[in-house]
Amino acid sequence: MAVLTIAGLTRCSASATSSSRFFARNFSHFSTRLLTSAAIKSQHRSCKSMSAPAATSALNKDAAHEATAKQEKITAPYGSWKSPITADVVSGASKRLGGTAVDGHGRLIWLESRPTESGRAVLVREPEKPGDEPVDITPKEFGVRTLAQEYGGGAFTVAGDVVIFANYKDQRLYKQRLSSPDVPPVAITPDYGGPSVCYADGILDARFNRYISVREDRRESSQNPTTTIVSIALGSEDFQEPELLVGGCDFYAFPRLDPKSERIAWIQWRHPNMPWDRSELWVGYLSENGEIHKRICIAGSDPSIVESPTEPKWSPDGELFFITDRENGFWNLHKWIESESKVIPVYSLDAEFTRPLWVFGLNSYEFVESHEQRNLVACGYRQRGRSYLGIIDNQQSSTLTVLDIPFTDINNITSGNGCLYVEGASAIHPSSVAKVILDDHKSKAVEFSIIWSSSPDSLKYSPYFSMPELIEFPTEVPGQYAYAYFYPPSNPIYQANQGEKPPLLLKSHGGPTDETRGFLNLNIQYWTSRGWAFADVNYGGSTGYGRKYRERLIGQWGIVDVNDCCSCATYLVDSGKVDGERLCITGGSAGGYTTLAALAFRETFKAGASLYGVADLKLLKEETHKFESHYIDNLVGGENECLKRSPIHHVDNFSCPIILFQGLDDKVVPPDQARKIYQALKDKGLPVALVEYEGEQHGFRKAENIKFTLEQQMVFFARLVGRFDVADDITPIKIDNFD
């Protein structure tokens, strides 16, 4: 049972480039062998001009038509349609991926968090034989997760037969041997009597038999912990205090050793910058006893160059590669020429080759072995809302070859034995990990198979899928545009009344320096399959479109994001796609702030839902964690601006219903934010509800809470602005000033 506190009332809920190529799939084994164009043409002549996603969409719609050929569509109001994509389906399909690695036998290991186990994160190994079940590595009494910088990431490392991971409950590091599954993991860091010291983004140093990691020490201050790079001895049976390798800066990430363990690279940055604003890449030279005796800054120290280097990595030949945005404002791949003390671009393109460093452990590119002894780099890059997988031939004049795979969204890449493991998704693939086998020349993908999926059963709902349309809409700044993914209502069984337009739920993503992506998200399909239109907005300030776009939000948070969300909704109304009288907005974290600000300062939307959102910017600055403690300085400014843009200080401007959801263990946006805005709106007499979850932090991980949040948003909007009854059996919570 999950115990929910709802506005002071306790309630128990039961747990609960376009290609003409087509793909033949055996989805029962999640495998895909890429067909030749000739074979495809002979099988699918009617779809020969379509892209893969478009053609797949056509097939799905054909399947839906066949399923309903014997019956007329049911006419019912938008929003009232029955759908098999239930909240239970969504919450059960909300597994998160926390990274991938390959063990000494070439088998893939991944970290997945499980909502059905209260969000516990487990390391899982690819089965030895195809068709067998994957094997859990992590014992039941452990959970693999680090709380470093609150957002975590980089919680485990695999080297041959050894796994080192951060345990969630005590935040200690443990070592585990894959060949000895019956031997429990052994702690390698001291016990400080609680989770007061966190580790992340580690690497094994075989030369000195130690583990090098970023450490966040909260023993003296939980709000202002000390962050360093430390080494942890592996040869002793006694717990030794980790030794300091690098310190003195506010933040560190990506400690990376060269192949001989003679040099170490890392990224560091200082307040008030975030890592995507300005950062520095350093290299240290290791002495015979493992200490750093010399260090130099490779990128980021020149005040005349605005850049944010990230993801350093040493090639097998000992060359240092990294990603930075110094030339064209896009994160492109570069390398350091040590003999000449200079940095050169490996390949320049107006595209993003990485993502903002919200979590540790990003791995956007990998070196590829080649029989021809070429220097090849596999990379994912993003351009105008779509991802591509490419191979860069790093010769004197680098070339980029784009590989044709089904994913249109790509995150991390891991190099395997003769293959690549690619974390990605598409409009019909949920978040997944695919094994990609290349030809001998490493210029084509010859086989593509899904190894892991956040929702392996999602294909059976494909007739109901709404395909994302990337839209570019005008903002309030003349000649300036922003972007969003628009999902129209889609259900093969239903149609709306003639002349009716659907209600719209517009989502403002978190961060705010982040990006929403157009891949299969059953949370979105939950809405569209019931007759809602859905818009997922990349307002000015989002990543994926270069530094210039990203910096639209500097000093303008609460203005640009709000204006762009309102402009998107207005654009969709003017285009005839949605009902202008039934516009709703939702968002989590920074998206929750944009939601509240849009409702406080504009009159575009008729209702809103804020998930762990910010109501008081000044309070956020005082209470939030170290990583984001100066974030608002750049996004908003001083105290006066914080007061002007804080929804809590403009309650009189609110005029529509709001529902709020909050985790009681949230250290990023503490519960007082939701409680204060709830009480103020209640006192004003507006319809409002507050749901608080015990044991939840920033973002909900428990299946029962994910389900409850989704259902209560749906029924809240239906009751207050929808003009329809939901088809699902949902017991609504009490709404103050309404019930």
Side-chain angles (χ1 to χ4, degrees):
M1 303 288 284
V3 180
L4 315 182
T5 306
I6 306 176
L9 174 69
T10 300
R11 170 193 177 100
C12 293
S13 70
S15 295
T17 321
S18 296
S19 166
S20 61
R21 179 171 292 171
F22 235 77
F23 304 96
R25 296 180 176 84
N26 179 346
F27 280 98
S28 62
H29 295 88
F30 300 101
S31 63
T32 302
R33 184 168 295 278
L34 305 189
L35 303 180
T36 65
S37 296
I40 293 158
K41 287 178 181 178
S42 67
Q43 294 181 37
H44 303 288
R45 294 185 185 278
S46 64
C47 297
K48 65 183 179 180
S49 63
M50 294 184 182
S51 66
T56 306
S57 173
L59 288 182
N60 290 338
K61 289 179 179 178
D62 287 345
H65 291 322
E66 290 176 8
T68 58
K70 297 181 180 180
Q71 64 181 49
E72 293 292 326
K73 283 195 173 186
I74 301 170
T75 299
Y78 284 119
S80 68
W81 302 348
K82 189 80 173 175
S83 170
I85 306 176
T86 64
D88 279 315
V89 170
V90 176
S91 62
S94 298
K95 289 189 294 184
R96 302 184 186 184
L97 191 66
T100 58
V102 173
D103 68 13
H105 297 286
R107 290 160 67 185
L108 182 70
I109 293 175
W110 63 86
L111 177 63
E112 67 176 44
S113 67
R114 298 171 175 172
T116 55
E117 297 182 30
S118 297
R120 187 173 81 98
V122 180
L123 286 168
V124 185
R125 181 161 55 176
E126 177 186 10
E128 189 172 356
K129 297 178 181 178
D132 289 351
E133 290 295 316
V135 179
D136 284 5
I137 296 171
T138 308
K140 294 186 180 297
E141 60 271 25
F142 290 87
V144 182
R145 183 180 164 200
T146 175
L147 294 176
Q149 292 185 177
E150 293 300 332
Y151 297 114
F156 75 101
T157 301
V158 177
D161 184 48
V162 173
V163 174
I164 295 176
F165 66 88
N167 184 43
Y168 173 57
K169 288 184 179 180
D170 57 13
Q171 288 297 292
R172 299 173 73 186
L173 290 176
Y174 287 78
K175 182 173 73 172
Q176 182 179 7
R177 290 207 171 271
L178 296 172
S179 59
S180 305
D182 297 329
V183 178
V186 177
I188 62 171
T189 54
D191 183 358
Y192 299 110
S196 57
V197 178
C198 310
Y199 304 87
D201 214 6
I203 49 169
L204 197 67
D205 184 356
R207 179 187 176 194
F208 296 103
N209 194 26
R210 62 184 180 177
Y211 188 70
I212 297 175
S213 176
V214 174
R215 181 179 73 172
E216 187 177 79
D217 190 341
R218 309 180 181 189
R219 285 175 289 178
E220 293 187 5
S221 172
S222 60
Q223 272 196 284
N224 189 31
T226 301
T227 305
T228 55
I229 298 176
V230 298
S231 68
I232 298 137
L234 297 178
S236 174
E237 294 183 1
D238 298 326
F239 295 120
Q240 300 179 16
E241 187 68 21
E243 294 186 3
L244 177 67
L245 274 181
V246 184
C249 202
D250 290 319
F251 303 99
Y252 295 94
F254 296 110
R256 298 294 184 263
L257 289 167
D258 73 5
K260 297 181 180 179
S261 290
E262 295 175 345
R263 297 165 296 175
I264 182 171
W266 69 88
I267 297 295
Q268 65 182 48
W269 67 98
R270 296 175 175 84
H271 285 316
N273 293 313
M274 298 300 283
W276 48 82
D277 296 325
R278 280 181 178 265
S279 57
E280 298 170 357
L281 168 61
W282 287 76
V283 167
Y285 294 82
L286 299 174
S287 65
E288 289 299 321
N289 62 3
E291 296 178 349
I292 297 176
H293 66 89
K294 174 187 173 183
R295 62 185 71 188
I296 57 175
C297 186
I298 306 303
S301 62
D302 187 343
S304 67
I305 301 175
V306 179
E307 63 177 327
S308 53
T310 185
E311 288 201 60
K313 187 176 294 186
W314 300 90
S315 74
D317 296 333
E319 289 187 303
L320 180 63
F321 287 68
F322 64 99
I323 295 173
T324 191
D325 54 350
R326 58 165 55 186
E327 282 92 7
N328 58 3
F330 287 84
W331 278 313
N332 285 185
L333 195 62
H334 291 68
K335 72 176 178 179
W336 176 47
I337 309 299
E338 184 176 10
S339 61
E340 301 177 37
S341 295
K342 70 176 183 179
V343 169
I344 63 171
V346 174
Y347 193 85
S348 296
L349 188 68
D350 285 354
E352 303 282 35
F353 283 73
T354 189
R355 312 185 303 286
L357 204 164
W358 280 105
V359 299
F360 291 103
L362 302 182
N363 202 50
S364 304
Y365 66 99
E366 277 278 22
F367 301 105
V368 178
E369 294 181 3
S370 171
H371 297 303
E372 300 166 359
Q373 299 300 312
R374 292 180 295 163
N375 297 314
L376 303 180
V377 182
C379 56
Y381 66 92
R382 193 153 180 80
Q383 197 170 41
R384 294 184 63 81
R386 190 193 192 281
S387 294
Y388 302 86
L389 179 64
I391 299 288
I392 295 177
D393 190 343
N394 181 35
Q395 300 296 334
Q396 287 185 331
S397 57
S398 297
T399 59
L400 174 65
T401 301
V402 178
L403 303 177
D404 193 359
I405 65 171
F407 285 165
T408 56
D409 185 89
I410 294 169
N411 287 325
N412 298 313
I413 301 171
T414 299
S415 184
N417 292 346
C419 68
L420 297 171
Y421 292 101
V422 180
E423 178 187 338
S426 75
I428 61 168
H429 295 91
S431 177
S432 308
V433 178
K435 183 178 183 179
V436 180
I437 298 177
L438 308 180
D439 66 354
D440 291 340
H441 299 291
K442 311 301 180 186
S443 60
K444 292 180 181 179
V446 296
E447 191 169 338
F448 176 96
S449 55
I450 301 294
I451 303 298
W452 176 89
S453 172
S454 62
S455 178
D457 296 329
S458 62
L459 183 70
K460 66 183 180 183
Y461 305 111
S462 60
Y464 294 82
F465 290 169
S466 176
M467 295 295 148
E469 174 192 350
L470 179 64
I471 61 174
E472 183 175 357
F473 58 89
T475 71
E476 293 197 354
V477 178
Q480 189 181 85
Y481 291 82
Y483 308 91
Y485 294 100
F486 176 70
Y487 299 79
S490 178
N491 189 309
I493 309 298
Y494 291 89
Q495 63 183 7
N497 298 300
Q498 189 174 6
E500 184 189 6
K501 293 183 173 62
L504 172 72
L505 182 59
L506 182 145
K507 181 184 175 184
S508 172
H509 67 68
T513 309
D514 209 341
E515 178 189 8
T516 191
R517 300 180 171 219
F519 61 82
L520 179 61
N521 181 342
L522 291 182
N523 192 309
I524 294 175
Q525 304 299 327
Y526 173 85
W527 295 90
T528 56
S529 63
R530 283 165 173 74
W532 282 76
F534 196 102
D536 215 351
V537 184
N538 276 318
Y539 47 80
S542 303
T543 54
Y545 301 89
R547 178 179 281 271
K548 188 174 181 180
Y549 193 86
R550 194 164 75 236
E551 291 185 342
R552 284 187 188 179
L553 210 59
I554 291 181
Q556 297 294 303
W557 193 31
I559 299 175
V560 167
D561 51 321
V562 169
N563 288 346
D564 287 358
C565 286
C566 293
S567 294
C568 181
T570 301
Y571 172 82
L572 292 171
V573 172
D574 293 345
S575 302
K577 295 180 182 294
V578 301
D579 185 350
E581 295 302 314
R582 293 188 289 174
L583 303 177
C584 301
I585 184 171
T586 187
S589 189
Y593 166 71
T594 301
T595 294
L596 293 173
L599 298 177
F601 304 123
R602 302 291 293 271
E603 297 181 353
T604 303
F605 299 98
K606 309 305 180 183
S610 170
L611 286 66
Y612 40 93
V614 179
D616 188 333
L617 294 169
K618 183 175 180 292
L619 183 63
L620 181 68
K621 288 181 69 171
E622 295 170 351
E623 293 186 347
T624 197
H625 59 140
K626 178 184 176 183
F627 179 58
E628 295 182 84
S629 59
H630 290 268
Y631 195 18
I632 294 175
D633 296 347
N634 284 336
L635 291 176
V636 180
E639 187 171 333
N640 288 338
E641 285 302 317
C642 285
L643 291 172
K644 286 181 183 177
R645 298 187 211 167
S646 292
I648 191 65
H649 299 300
H650 301 274
V651 173
D652 288 345
N653 293 352
F654 282 90
S655 59
C656 68
I658 299 172
I659 187 168
L660 305 135
F661 300 88
Q662 180 68 45
L664 293 179
D665 292 344
D666 195 336
K667 299 295 191 297
V668 178
V669 180
D672 277 354
Q673 295 273 348
R675 289 171 175 171
K676 288 185 175 182
I677 194 72
Y678 160 72
Q679 190 61 49
L681 294 171
K682 180 181 177 182
D683 292 345
K684 177 179 168 64
L686 284 176
V688 63
L690 169 63
V691 179
E692 295 180 322
Y693 297 121
E694 294 180 1
E696 289 284 17
Q697 297 169 324
H698 197 63
F700 307 144
R701 290 174 169 82
K702 299 178 182 179
E704 62 267 29
N705 297 340
I706 295 170
K707 173 188 176 183
F708 194 81
T709 301
L710 191 56
E711 289 185 333
Q712 292 305 320
Q713 285 186 83
M714 172 67 74
V715 74
F716 182 86
F717 292 145
R719 296 179 69 198
L720 290 155
V721 301
R723 301 199 300 271
F724 58 82
D725 294 323
V726 298
D728 304 271
D729 184 14
I730 303 172
T731 302
I733 60 172
K734 179 180 181 293
I735 302 172
D736 292 294
N737 302 317
F738 183 77
D739 292 319

